[in-house]
């Protein structure tokens, strides 16, 4: 099993609903967020191009945060989801420094916190909160090992990219372009 | 134009707008760890070479800096943890891929060994010292008998400690400025030069002072070479590493790096060391303090600048 997410940059309107849904679903402390929306503007006026991306932890297959964690608090569970065990985390910040996507942050309670792909919902057969709430339905989630899953189908149909693959992280968050 | 903005208002503390997860305690610890590694390395080395009587300060007196520096360094590390109550989780596992994990174990060994080494030489400062309990006396007898293996342990772990302070940073490929393997030897050199400078500062024996002035000069030269080497590597590398080098070549850290680390911390003390060796009398205090300050500034500049450097996508 290999969970992955695909975000359609052509459908995303940058409303940030995914961010609020995540904060509500996961009780993210005020002032923090596990996902965010990036707007890239490219070109010269009047030929401008805009790309909108809803970003979060890339649940890398070769995760630098898991590698550098001194206690094993950062770990990978079945399906390739990268998680943090709060009561093993010492809050040293190594994983935060090691993430090229800046996807982690120190929770006010001391441990490091991040996107979990809403594993608690996925286990129940539901989609992650950000995917479920998206008003333009621009996000796809599922198992890459299953050729019929939503995410496998859309990745076969459309061109996609990942963020900084040259960092060697093998990210599992795809952007349809 | 190419502009990239986070439009959902991400303001994660210590991450945005620029990573600043490691504050002053980390560079302070890296300096103290390097200094301890330096003084312990020379103590063990000259003991094993059979020069204990000749270089008394290096073998017997200056190592007293090490346990103090290590304990203060560990306190600084502990202070910078965000989840302090769980620090003991470090010692429930060894993770080879995590430099911080084996660094924590290395620190445990070197700190203990440095305390034992100082206990064996306590009479250097308190000639009438007597251990209160018999078991303490037994321990002293045991380690006096096994001083050679102890010195070997100290020698090897001092090198590991010195290199580890650099590898700790170079393991992060997310921060292009840190992501160079030169950092390990460079931090080791910086720690060794701080150790040699401390011996020059503390020694009252002219022969010993001259020897460690020579050693210091060689290490400072090596450091300068490694710094040039590092920049050559950055500038010949990918765009992110070229940008990382720009932080020191016109960017915000240019002045502080070249003035405090390179000129005041390496070149001027190096020239003063050279003058001393040519027979001009230079007060030992000046090059010694400059080297220590340079080593200190080096860690600060590197830890802070490294957090600014990043991949752009």
């Amino acid at each position: 099993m290999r969970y992955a997410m695909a975000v359609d940059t052509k459908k995303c309107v940058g409303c940030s609903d995914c961010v609020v849904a995540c904060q509500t679903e996961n009780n993210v402390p005020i002032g923090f967020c596990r996902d965010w929306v990036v707007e890239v503007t490219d070109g010269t006026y009047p030929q401008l191009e805009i790309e909108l991306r809803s970003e979060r932890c890339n649940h890398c297959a070769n995760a630098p945060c898991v590698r550098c964690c001194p206690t094993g608090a950062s770990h990978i569970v079945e399906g390739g989801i990268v998680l943090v065990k709060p009561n093993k985390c010492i809050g040293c910040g190594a994983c935060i420094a090691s993430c090229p996507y800046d996807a982690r942050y120190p929770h006010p309670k001391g441990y490091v916190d991040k996107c979990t792909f809403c594993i608690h919902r996925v286990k129940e057969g539901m989609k992650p909160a950000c995917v479920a709430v998206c008003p333009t339905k621009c996000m796809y989630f599922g198992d890459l090992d299953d050729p019929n899953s939503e995410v496998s189908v859309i990745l076969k149909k459309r061109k996609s990219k990942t963020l900084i693959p040259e960092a060697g992280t093998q990210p599992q968050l795809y952007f349809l372009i | 134009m190419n502009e990239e903005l986070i439009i959902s208002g991400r303001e994660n503390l210590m991450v945005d707008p620029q990573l600043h997860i490691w504050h002053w305690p980390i560079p302070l610890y890296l300096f103290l760890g390097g200094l301890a590694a330096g003084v312990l390395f020379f103590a063990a080395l000259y003991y094993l070479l059979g020069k204990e009587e000749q270089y008394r300060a290096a073998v017997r007196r200056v190592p007293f800096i090490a346990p103090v520096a290590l304990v203060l360094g560990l306190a600084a590390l502990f202070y910078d943890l965000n989840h302090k109550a769980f620090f003991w989780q470090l010692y429930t596992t060894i993770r080879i891929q995590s430099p911080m994990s084996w660094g924590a174990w290395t620190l445990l060994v070197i700190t203990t060994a440095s305390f034992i080494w100082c206990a064996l030489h306590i009479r250097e400062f308190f000639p009438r010292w007597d251990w209160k309990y018999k078991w303490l006396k037994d321990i002293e007898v045991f380690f006096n008998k096994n001083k050679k293996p102890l010195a070997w342990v100290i020698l090897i772990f001092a090198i590991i400690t010195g290199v580890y302070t650099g590898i700790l940073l170079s393991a992060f490929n997310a921060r292009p400025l840190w992501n160079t393997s030169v950092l390990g030897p460079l931090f080791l050199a910086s720690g060794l030069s701080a150790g040699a400078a401390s011996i020059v500062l503390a020694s009252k024996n002219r022969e010993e002072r001259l020897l460690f002035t020579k050693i210091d000069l060689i290490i400072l030269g090596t450091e300068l070479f490694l710094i040039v080497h590092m920049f050559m590597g950055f500038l010949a590398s990918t765009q992110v590493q070229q940008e990382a080098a720009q932080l020191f070549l016109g960017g915000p850290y240019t002045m502080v790096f070249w003035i405090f680390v390179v000129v005041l911390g390496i070149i001027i003390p190096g020239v003063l060391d050279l003058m001393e060796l040519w027979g001009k009398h230079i007060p030992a205090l000046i090059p010694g303090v400059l080297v220590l300050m340079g080593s200190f500034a080096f860690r600060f500049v590197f830890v802070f600048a490294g957090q600014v450097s990043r991949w752009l996508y």
Side-chain angles (χ1 to χ4, degrees):
Chain A
M1 198 157 48
R2 172 69 250 189
Y3 286 121
M5 194 182 279
V7 181
D8 192 340
T9 59
K10 304 280 185 206
K11 265 160 86 183
C12 176
V13 292
C15 68
S16 303
D17 237 13
C18 46
V19 179
V20 179
C22 169
Q23 287 164 328
T24 317
E25 173 70 27
N26 295 299
N27 250 329
V28 177
I30 290 174
F32 293 89
C33 55
R34 292 179 178 185
D35 57 350
W36 59 95
V37 180
V38 174
E39 181 186 88
V40 187
T41 314
D42 231 332
T44 317
Y45 182 81
Q47 260 106 35
L48 289 172
E49 257 185 57
I50 286 182
E51 178 178 279
L52 288 160
R53 296 193 303 248
S54 167
E55 296 184 10
R56 59 193 52 56
C57 169
N58 284 263
H59 297 275
C60 305
N62 182 20
C65 51
V66 174
R67 220 168 38 227
C68 75
C69 177
T71 64
S74 279
H75 63 292
I76 298 183
V77 294
E78 208 204 335
I81 299 180
V82 179
L83 295 177
V84 181
K85 277 187 202 138
N87 57 4
K88 274 205 113 178
C89 175
I90 61 172
C92 67
C95 56
I96 294 178
S98 82
C99 177
Y101 309 101
D102 284 342
R104 294 167 163 249
Y105 63 88
H107 192 284
K109 283 187 180 154
Y111 55 84
V112 171
D113 199 27
K114 65 183 282 298
C115 159
T116 62
F117 262 175
C118 279
I119 190 169
H120 59 288
R121 288 172 59 96
V122 173
K123 270 187 189 159
E124 308 269 308
M126 291 186 283
K127 290 175 183 169
C130 54
V131 177
V133 80
C134 178
T136 65
K137 302 210 176 350
C138 81
M139 281 186 260
Y140 305 84
F141 179 82
D143 180 6
L144 278 184
D145 289 343
D146 170 9
N148 298 319
S149 72
E150 222 181 22
V151 68
S152 298
V153 171
I154 196 80
L155 282 174
K156 240 175 273 163
K157 234 194 287 177
R158 296 270 303 272
K159 259 193 185 171
S160 66
K161 66 169 182 184
T162 52
L163 298 178
I164 3 178
E166 60 272 29
T169 49
Q170 299 171 29
Q172 299 300 316
L173 180 58
Y174 297 84
F175 293 93
L176 307 172
I177 47 176
Chain B
M1 75 176 234
N2 180 296
E3 192 185 51
E4 196 169 304
L5 291 172
I6 295 181
I7 55 165
S8 61
R10 193 180 77 170
E11 283 171 15
N12 289 347
L13 191 70
M14 294 192 240
V15 179
D16 294 313
Q18 209 165 58
L19 184 75
H20 193 58
I21 186 71
W22 285 345
H23 311 95
W24 61 267
I26 301 295
L28 176 66
Y29 152 71
L30 293 179
F31 166 72
L32 292 170
L35 174 67
V39 298
L40 288 173
F41 174 81
F42 289 119
L45 181 70
Y46 281 94
Y47 171 76
L48 289 169
L49 290 173
K51 303 268 173 78
E52 187 174 2
E53 292 301 324
Q54 216 171 335
Y55 304 126
R56 239 185 144 83
V59 177
R60 295 187 176 180
R61 288 177 166 252
V62 177
F64 278 80
I65 296 175
V68 179
L70 285 167
V71 167
L72 284 177
L74 286 171
L77 272 188
F78 179 73
Y79 177 75
D80 206 54
L81 291 183
N82 286 316
H83 216 201
K84 293 185 178 58
F86 292 83
F87 81 96
W88 51 270
Q89 288 281 6
L90 273 174
Y91 294 107
T92 58
T93 174
I94 297 184
R95 300 176 55 81
I96 298 298
Q97 282 191 312
S98 163
M100 206 181 260
S101 172
W102 53 259
W105 286 98
T106 301
L107 279 174
L108 201 64
V109 175
I110 194 89
T111 308
T112 315
S114 76
F115 269 102
I116 296 170
W117 189 263
C118 291
L120 294 182
H121 299 113
I122 190 115
R123 286 182 194 88
E124 198 66 27
F125 293 97
F126 306 98
R128 287 152 178 237
W129 185 274
D130 192 25
W131 298 104
K132 218 171 171 185
Y133 304 103
K134 189 176 175 297
W135 60 275
L136 283 174
K137 283 179 196 159
D138 291 345
I139 291 177
E140 190 188 8
V141 170
F142 174 81
F143 280 109
N144 259 326
K145 254 190 227 157
N146 295 296
K147 207 167 162 184
K148 255 204 170 135
L150 177 68
W152 273 110
V153 168
I154 289 181
L155 189 73
I156 292 164
F157 275 85
I159 295 173
I160 299 177
T161 307
V163 174
Y164 139 80
T165 54
I167 289 184
L168 177 75
L169 300 180
S170 71
F172 295 128
N173 95 341
R175 312 295 152 197
L177 180 67
W178 291 344
N179 192 213
T180 163
S181 49
V182 178
L183 228 52
L186 187 54
F187 272 51
L188 175 67
S190 171
L192 290 179
S193 77
S198 314
I199 295 168
V200 176
L201 281 177
S203 173
K204 294 195 176 79
N205 171 353
R206 180 156 170 78
E207 192 202 336
E208 191 177 21
R209 276 214 308 267
L210 280 179
L211 172 76
F212 281 95
T213 302
K214 249 183 234 165
I215 293 177
D216 199 32
L217 186 60
I218 294 168
I219 303 172
L220 289 175
T222 313
E223 241 181 283
L224 203 57
F225 164 75
L226 287 173
I227 287 175
V228 174
H229 195 58
M230 179 178 71
F231 278 105
M232 281 166 60
F234 279 146
L235 292 174
S237 187
T238 56
Q239 192 193 344
V240 284
Q241 290 203 307
Q242 290 170 28
E243 277 167 18
Q246 287 306 324
L247 288 170
F248 293 154
L249 303 171
Y253 289 89
T254 309
M255 293 298 251
V256 67
F257 180 74
W258 295 101
I259 292 180
F260 288 99
V261 179
V262 178
V263 176
L264 286 175
I266 297 177
I267 294 176
I268 291 182
V271 171
L272 293 177
D273 281 353
L274 209 59
M275 286 165 75
E276 174 81 40
L277 293 174
W278 282 340
K280 294 217 164 47
H281 185 67
I282 306 287
L285 193 68
I286 302 174
V289 169
L290 282 177
V291 166
L292 287 173
M293 275 171 45
S295 182
F296 188 64
F298 177 53
R299 316 298 162 116
F300 267 85
V301 171
F302 238 78
V303 169
F304 288 166
Q307 295 185 80
V308 175
S309 87
R310 56 171 299 178
W311 290 77
L312 287 174
Y313 59 89

